[in-house]
Amino acid sequence: MISPTLFIDVILPLALPKLYTYRVPMELNDTVVIGKRVVVSFRGNKLYTGLIKTIKETPPVDYEAKYILSVLDDEPVVTERQYELWEWMASYYMCTLGEVMNAALPGGLKLQSETKITLTEGYKDHTKIMNDKEFLIVDALEINNIITLDEVSKILDQKTVFPIIKGMMDRGLLLIHEEMNTKYKPRKMIYVRLSDAYADKNLLSKELDLLGKKAPKQAELLMSFLKLLMDNKDLREVAREELIKYADSSTAFVQELVKKGIFELEEKEVSRLSNSSQDVEDKLELNEFQVQAFQEIKDHFQEKDILLLHGITSSGKTEIYIHMIEEMIAQGKQVLYLLPEIALTTQIINRLKKHFGNLVQIYHSRLSENERVEVWKNMLNKSTDKSVTNISVILAARSGIFLPYHDLGLIIVDEEHENSFKQYDPSPRYHARDSAMVLAKLFHAKTLLGSATPSIESYYNATNNKYEMVTLTKRHGGVLLPGILLVNIAEEKRKKRMKSHFSQLLLDEIKIALDTKEQVILFQNRRGFAPILECVTCGWTPHCINCDVSLTYHKANESLRCHYCGYVGKIPKSCSACGNNDIKMKGFGTEKVEEELSIFFPDAVIARLDLDSTRSKYSYQQIIGDFETNKINVLVGTQMVTKGLDFNNVTIVGILNADSMLNFPDFRSFERSYQLMAQVSGRAGRKQKRGKVIIQCQNELHPIIQQVLNNDYEKMYAQELLERNKFHFPPYFRLIKLTLKHKDYNVIDNGAHQLAKDLKQVLGARVLGPEAPLVARVRNLFLKDILIKIEREASIKNAKKMIMDAVTNFKGLSDYKSVSVHIDVDPY
Ligand code: ADP
Ligand code: ZN
Ligand code: ZN
C-alpha cells in the first residue's frame, strides 16, 4: 500500500489567528502523532518548535504547505485533554492557541532560534558518548558559556539543530539558559552495579583478595559497595555519587573497576521527588466543626461539582483540604491544589509534604524552567515502575492548571478571592480559578473553592444554587477573632495626638506587645518611602518620562522610580516648574513606616515585606521565616502580609490608613478593601490570647469599615450586590475590556473612537468609552480603553464574535494597522 500524503496543523508560539498547515515528508509519516513537537520554519528562515494539533490528508487551499523539518519527540508532550482546555481558553479569553501554548508550556519545551543554551554542572560525566556534532557544541559552550540555537546552526553549518539539542538536553548535557540563574540538579544519575559475571560469590571473593594486594583503594571501594547492598536488601545498584561519598572514594576508582569488568554503569533518570526522605506523619484529627464540614462537603459532592468552603481565618480549612486529598489519593486520583503565588510559602509546602511526602510536587514560578520540564514529564506518563513515585498532588500557583494530568479527581482553589489568580499580561488574560473549573469538568472532577472572604461572584453562585456552600464559623481551638478598634486619624490630627503616622493607641499597643515578646504586623497599602515629591510652592511633582504617572520616592537607593515601566530618575534639587528648591514628600509608604517606627522602638527588630524588599528570589521566604522564628518583632508590609500566613505569636495588627484602599477608583475597591482588612486581621490572635486589630482611618462610619468591625461579610455582600446591579457590573454583567495602544496620540484617539463607534453599531449602549485609563501613557505608548458590559442572560458567544469581527475589521483599516488592541475578558 502506498502511504498517504499527510498534512498537519501546527500550533506555533505566535499570536496567529489560525493554525498553520505543514506537509509531512513521507519518511516521517509514522512518527507524526498529535501532541508531539515538530520543527518548522515560518516567515522566512526563522525556526520554531510547534505542536501537532491535527493530522489530515487534505492540503491547505490558499497556500502551498511547507514541509516540516523534523519531529522532536518520541512520545507526545501534550495530551488531548490539555488541548481541550487550551481551546476553551482561546475561545473564552479571545486569544490564539499559540498564546495559550506559550503560557502553558514550560520554557524548556519551547526551543526557538533565539533560545540560549548552556552546559549543565555535571555535563562532563556524559561527554564519553558524544558524537562529533555534539562535541563541537560542547566545545563552543566551554569557550562561550552561553550560545543561541542560531549560533549552533552556524557552528554545525546545518539548519535544523533542535533534535540534536533536545537529545543533549535529555542526556543531561545542556540546559536552557535562564537569566535568573537557579541551581539545577541533574535529572540523570549514574548507577553502579556488579556485572553479571561477578554474581558468582567465589569469583568475587577471589577478585577481592587480588585487589587487596594490588589495588587496596579499589578493594575498599568494592567492599563499601557490597556493604551498602547488604545493608539494604532490595538494593541491586547504588548511585555512583552516593557510593563515592559513602566509600570516600572517587570516580577514577569506580572507572578502574568498570575496566576490570567488575562494575557496570548505567545512566538512569531519577525523579527528584524520591530524593527527599521525609517521614510521613499522620494527619491531625479534625475538630467537631471540621468533621461536620468535611462530611457536608462529601455529601454535596455526590450531587454537585463545585463547592465553596466559606470558613473564617484559622478555622482550619487547610486541614479539611488535607483530608479531602487523602481520600482522593486512596481512590488513585490526582489533586491540584491552587494557591496565589505569594501564599505558596514553605509553610504550606511543609504542611503538605509532612502528610503526603513525595506524592506532592510543587509547581510555580520559583522553579527553574528545567525543573518545570521535569515535573511536566513526570506527570505525562504514569509510571508502572514501582521505584518511581507518581505525583498525586500538585501544589501550584495559577500555571498549575496547565500540567498534563491523567486522572484528576479534585481541584482545590484556596484563597479563591485573590486577584493574583488572574493573569493580566501577556495574553491569555485568564483567571486560574475559572479555568480550573473548566479543567475539572474535563475530568469529571470536583472543584473546592475556599476562602474566609469569598469573591462576590463565587458567593453569588453559591447562594444561587450554582455551587454548594459549606461554612465554618469557629476558629480552631476556640481562638477568638481579634477585637477591632477604630481610630479616627482626622480627629487625632486635629487634637495633635498623631505621632507621625501612628496614633497614640497604636503606639501603646505595639509597646505592650513588644514588652511581652509578642509580634506585630503593620499594614500599609503602598510601597516606597514617600510615594511622591511635591514642590511646596507650585505643587509640581516629578513624572516618569515614559508614562503619565508621578515617580515614587525610594529611600534605600535615593531614587525616584516609575512603578509602571521601571524608569529610574534622580531626585531633583529644585522644582522644574518654578525653580523653587523647597520640595517635600507627600504621602507615605512602607519604607517610611519602617523607618519612623524604628525611631519610636529603637530596640525592636523591624522588617519590611513588599515588592521592593522581596526582589531577589528567596528574600520573601527569608523574611517570613525570620518572622516565624521570632527573629523579627514587627513586620511592616503591603498586601503581601495578608496572604494566608499562619503565625502563632502575633497579637497586634495595625492598619495604618484604611481610606487609601477604599478610595481606589475601581468597582471592586470596596470588596477588595473588605477582603484585605479581614484577611490581615485574621493574622492576629493565638491560643491563649485574643488578638487586637487597630484600624486607623479618616471616616470610621464608612460602611466597609463598619462591616469589617462587625465581621459582617453578609452585609458587605448584600450592599455590593445592590451596587453591582445598579451600575451594571459582575455578577450581573460580564465585562470585556479593549485596550488600544499606540505611540501617536492622534492615531489612537481617532482609532479608539472609530472602534467604539463600530462596536456601538452592533452592541449599542453596552459599549462605554473610549476613555483614557488612570495612567494614560505607559512606556511611551498612549492608551485608550473601551469597556463592554454584557448582561449575564445574553449570549456571550455572540457578543464575543461581534467584538472579534469589529476588531479584525478595525485592524484591517490602513490607518490603524499599527494600533495594538488587547482584549481582556473578565478584566477585574
Ligand atoms: P485556615 O486555612 O482556615 O486559615 P488553618 O488550616 O491554617 O486555617 O488552621 C489554623 C491553625 O489551626 C493551624 O495552625 C492549624 O495547624 C491549626 N489546626 C486547624 N485544625 C486543626 C486540628 N483539627 N487539630 C489541630 N490543629 C488544627
Ligand atoms: Zn514609566
Ligand atoms: Zn514649583
Side-chain angles (χ1 to χ4, degrees):
M1 206 183 86
I2 301 170
S3 58
T5 305
L6 294 183
F7 294 88
I8 54 175
D9 294 329
V10 174
I11 311 176
L12 290 170
L14 303 164
L16 303 166
K18 279 200 239 151
L19 298 186
Y20 232 67
T21 305
Y22 286 86
R23 185 169 173 171
V24 181
M26 208 70 90
E27 68 272 20
L28 291 182
N29 270 10
D30 292 340
T31 59
V32 292
V33 177
I34 291 175
K36 282 190 188 180
R37 290 173 298 163
V38 288
V39 181
V40 296
S41 65
F42 187 74
R43 286 193 190 132
N45 276 332
K46 269 201 140 181
L47 293 188
Y48 293 93
T49 44
L51 275 168
I52 305 178
K53 179 69 189 1
T54 37
I55 303 174
K56 57 193 188 186
E57 289 181 25
T58 44
V61 276
D62 32 13
Y63 55 94
E64 177 124 16
K66 283 195 261 184
Y67 281 106
I68 58 167
L69 300 171
S70 61
V71 178
L72 267 188
D73 301 302
D74 300 331
E75 299 292 333
V77 294
V78 174
T79 66
E80 302 253 8
R81 281 257 177 61
Q82 285 176 293
Y83 278 155
E84 285 181 59
L85 179 70
W86 295 9
E87 283 188 322
W88 176 82
M89 288 180 88
S91 130
Y92 186 86
Y93 292 108
M94 302 175 79
C95 61
T96 68
L97 273 178
E99 289 171 311
V100 180
M101 174 177 81
N102 260 342
L105 281 188
L109 291 179
K110 290 184 291 197
L111 298 177
Q112 290 185 25
S113 315
E114 305 92 67
T115 303
K116 295 188 176 108
I117 50 166
T118 175
L119 291 165
T120 59
E121 251 172 61
Y123 76 96
K124 283 218 164 86
D125 293 344
H126 311 268
T127 47
K128 290 222 167 61
I129 30 174
M130 283 192 318
N131 61 34
D132 290 354
K133 286 180 179 170
E134 293 173 338
F135 181 78
L136 279 175
I137 297 172
V138 168
D139 204 35
L141 279 167
E142 280 178 335
I143 299 163
N144 295 311
N145 228 342
I146 299 159
I147 54 178
T148 66
L149 294 193
D150 252 351
E151 288 164 330
V152 174
S153 257
K154 287 189 194 117
I155 292 164
L156 302 185
D157 194 22
Q158 81 181 51
K159 203 169 168 195
T160 47
V161 297
F162 293 7
I164 301 175
I165 296 298
K166 187 204 163 249
M168 291 174 78
M169 281 174 70
D170 286 351
R171 298 211 315 275
L173 280 153
L174 299 182
L175 285 178
I176 297 291
H177 173 71
E178 289 175 79
E179 297 306 331
M180 206 164 46
N181 233 333
T182 46
K183 220 171 103 201
Y184 177 72
K185 299 182 207 144
R187 293 196 298 138
K188 300 216 171 176
M189 276 171 90
I190 293 176
Y191 279 80
V192 182
R193 64 167 170 255
L194 280 182
S195 62
D196 286 345
Y198 285 84
D200 180 349
K201 287 231 170 68
N202 285 329
L203 192 61
L204 193 62
S205 68
K206 253 190 219 149
E207 189 67 48
L208 256 176
D209 282 347
L210 204 69
L211 281 175
K213 290 180 197 120
K214 289 201 330 211
K217 288 264 172 159
Q218 291 171 38
E220 262 173 50
L221 175 63
L222 185 54
M223 288 289 281
S224 303
F225 175 80
L226 293 173
K227 183 156 188 321
L228 268 178
L229 288 202
M230 274 201 329
D231 291 350
N232 302 282
K233 276 208 197 79
D234 305 332
L235 222 56
R236 284 195 55 247
E237 55 195 8
V238 180
R240 185 174 64 180
E241 217 172 277
E242 198 181 321
L243 174 64
I244 289 171
K245 209 162 142 200
Y246 179 78
D248 196 13
S249 188
S250 77
T251 11
F253 291 116
V254 176
Q255 213 53 41
E256 285 304 313
L257 290 174
V258 173
K259 266 194 206 153
K260 295 199 167 79
I262 301 171
F263 278 169
E264 272 176 7
L265 299 185
E266 194 192 353
E267 195 179 38
K268 286 221 282 188
E269 201 162 316
V270 285
S271 161
R272 88 180 58 247
L273 312 182
S274 51
N275 289 347
S276 84
S277 52
Q278 236 168 0
D279 290 332
V280 176
E281 275 179 34
D282 271 347
K283 59 198 184 306
L284 299 173
E285 209 167 300
L286 295 180
N287 67 39
E288 56 177 313
F289 309 104
Q290 291 167 333
V291 167
Q292 196 187 340
F294 183 54
Q295 196 52 50
E296 284 177 33
I297 293 172
K298 287 196 294 180
D299 291 347
H300 286 313
F301 272 157
Q302 302 284 341
E303 317 246 303
K304 277 237 164 65
D305 291 333
I306 306 174
L307 185 142
L308 172 65
L309 176 60
H310 181 202
I312 61 171
T313 51
S314 281
S315 53
K317 295 184 287 298
T318 317
E319 281 315 312
I320 294 184
Y321 304 149
I322 289 171
H323 283 244
M324 291 296 300
I325 294 169
E326 188 175 58
E327 297 217 333
M328 283 294 149
I329 293 178
Q331 293 170 30
K333 300 263 188 190
Q334 294 176 303
V335 179
L336 165 61
Y337 187 145
L338 286 176
L339 268 168
E341 176 84 42
I342 202 77
L344 262 176
T345 57
T346 34
Q347 221 170 46
I348 180 76
I349 295 169
N350 287 342
R351 238 168 122 183
L352 288 194
K353 280 260 173 201
K354 213 168 74 184
H355 295 300
F356 303 115
N358 295 326
L359 295 174
V360 186
Q361 178 58 38
I362 297 124
Y363 194 71
H364 59 92
S365 67
R366 277 166 283 157
L367 290 187
S368 72
E369 288 298 353
N370 304 291
E371 288 169 314
R372 283 172 165 245
V373 173
E374 196 164 325
V375 178
W376 185 285
K377 291 205 165 159
N378 263 308
M379 300 278 296
L380 205 53
N381 305 304
K382 193 172 177 176
S383 176
T384 45
D385 180 351
K386 280 263 164 53
S387 69
V388 178
T389 323
N390 284 307
I391 299 167
S392 297
V393 187
I394 287 284
L395 180 59
R398 60 177 181 240
S399 59
I401 60 168
F402 292 120
L403 282 168
Y405 300 92
H406 46 78
D407 227 344
L408 197 58
L410 173 71
I411 301 182
I412 296 164
V413 186
D414 195 12
E415 314 287 351
E416 68 84 26
H417 63 278
E418 271 292 329
N419 62 336
S420 56
F421 282 126
K422 162 85 182 175
Q423 166 151 319
Y424 289 97
D425 259 319
S427 180
R429 302 182 172 83
Y430 68 100
H431 199 298
R433 175 197 59 210
D434 303 345
S435 308
M437 294 188 226
V438 176
L439 173 66
K441 207 165 169 189
L442 293 174
F443 282 91
H444 306 288
K446 307 290 175 189
T447 308
L448 178 56
L449 309 175
S451 176
T453 53
S455 62
I456 300 286
E457 283 91 334
S458 294
Y459 203 72
Y460 178 82
N461 286 332
T463 47
N464 287 283
N465 224 19
K466 207 168 155 198
Y467 311 160
E468 279 299 342
M469 180 157 66
V470 168
T471 38
L472 271 174
T473 54
K474 296 274 189 307
R475 284 182 142 191
H476 176 73
V479 178
L480 292 173
L481 275 175
I484 298 181
L485 305 168
L486 302 180
V487 180
N488 185 319
I489 41 179
E491 197 179 307
E492 292 296 293
K493 260 191 198 130
R494 238 189 344 269
K495 295 185 179 156
K496 305 225 177 309
R497 284 204 301 234
M498 285 296 280
K499 293 208 170 115
S500 161
H501 300 292
F502 313 103
S503 59
Q504 191 57 50
L505 177 71
L506 182 56
L507 289 177
D508 290 346
E509 292 290 350
I510 295 174
K511 182 162 190 327
I512 296 170
L514 293 179
D515 286 348
T516 44
K517 301 260 174 292
E518 290 161 357
Q519 289 171 300
V520 177
I521 290 178
L522 294 182
F523 172 67
Q524 167 63 10
N525 198 27
R526 268 179 185 162
R527 58 192 168 104
F529 186 77
I532 56 171
L533 296 179
E534 193 182 72
C535 168
V536 174
T537 319
C538 74
W540 170 85
T541 58
H543 274 66
C544 176
I545 56 164
N546 307 314
C547 317
D548 275 351
V549 67
S550 41
L551 294 169
T552 304
Y553 176 61
H554 286 251
K555 178 153 193 291
N557 35 27
E558 282 290 323
S559 62
L560 292 171
R561 281 166 187 276
C562 172
H563 285 184
Y564 284 79
C565 74
Y567 169 80
V568 181
K570 281 211 184 79
I571 294 177
K573 296 224 161 52
S574 60
C575 171
S576 298
C578 74
N580 195 307
N581 46 22
D582 194 3
I583 296 175
K584 278 232 164 75
M585 289 165 206
K586 209 180 131 192
F588 65 110
T590 39
E591 208 179 332
K592 176 116 172 172
V593 174
E594 183 190 15
E595 189 186 272
E596 292 191 339
L597 203 64
S598 65
I599 299 170
F600 293 109
F601 302 103
D603 297 330
V605 182
I606 302 168
R608 183 161 53 89
L609 192 69
D610 58 24
L611 264 184
D612 300 312
S613 74
T614 55
R615 276 194 207 285
S616 71
K617 209 175 175 193
Y618 297 106
S619 47
Y620 178 80
Q621 297 290 354
Q622 180 74 43
I623 296 169
I624 295 292
D626 286 351
F627 194 59
E628 263 182 319
T629 49
N630 276 299
K631 287 189 194 115
I632 294 168
N633 308 119
V634 183
L635 189 61
V636 178
T638 53
Q639 264 83 316
M640 280 191 185
V641 296
T642 68
K643 311 294 179 202
L645 296 163
D646 182 24
F647 303 116
N648 56 27
N649 194 31
V650 175
T651 52
I652 300 297
V653 165
I655 296 173
L656 293 173
N657 184 355
D659 307 271
S660 69
M661 309 176 244
L662 288 165
N663 298 333
F664 199 76
D666 169 343
F667 79 93
R668 274 198 208 280
S669 67
F670 282 16
E671 175 189 356
R672 293 247 163 86
S673 301
Y674 181 92
Q675 286 161 343
L676 277 174
M677 284 192 261
Q679 292 282 350
V680 73
S681 303
R683 306 305 128 217
R686 45 182 213 165
K687 290 203 172 65
Q688 307 82 358
K689 192 169 170 186
R690 189 174 182 202
K692 271 187 201 162
V693 177
I694 293 142
I695 302 181
Q696 302 190 152
C697 58
Q698 307 270 352
N699 173 13
E700 70 245 60
L701 296 177
H702 192 290
I704 290 290
I705 303 264
Q706 287 296 315
Q707 287 147 12
V708 172
L709 180 70
N710 300 320
N711 187 32
D712 199 347
Y713 177 87
E714 296 279 340
K715 193 155 181 191
M716 183 281 290
Y717 170 73
Q719 199 154 12
E720 273 300 295
L721 270 195
L722 289 177
E723 299 282 313
R724 305 277 177 97
N725 198 4
K726 193 162 145 202
F727 296 106
H728 294 190
F729 282 113
Y732 298 103
F733 284 73
R734 298 172 194 266
L735 305 183
I736 296 176
K737 188 170 89 171
L738 307 185
T739 301
L740 285 72
K741 293 188 185 181
H742 198 267
K743 60 183 190 305
D744 183 335
Y745 183 79
N746 285 324
V747 172
I748 196 170
D749 192 41
N750 295 335
H753 276 102
Q754 176 71 51
L755 180 56
K757 203 176 103 202
D758 296 348
L759 285 164
K760 279 173 191 166
Q761 295 229 317
V762 283
L763 290 161
R766 297 180 186 90
V767 182
L768 303 173
E771 240 178 88
L774 207 59
V775 177
R777 189 176 56 114
V778 172
R779 294 170 194 266
N780 276 323
L781 295 175
F782 290 97
L783 310 183
K784 287 278 182 188
D785 287 345
I786 297 171
L787 189 64
I788 303 161
K789 295 179 171 179
I790 298 153
E791 315 84 292
R792 196 136 275 258
E793 309 78 50
S795 161
I796 188 76
K797 268 219 175 91
N798 287 346
K800 281 177 183 166
K801 183 163 187 317
M802 289 174 189
I803 294 167
M804 216 51 190
D805 289 348
V807 170
T808 312
N809 191 35
F810 172 76
K811 294 279 294 169
L813 302 174
S814 57
D815 286 352
Y816 304 124
K817 271 206 167 58
S818 53
V819 174
S820 63
V821 182
H822 289 183
I823 306 181
D824 195 347
V825 178
D826 307 333
Y828 299 101

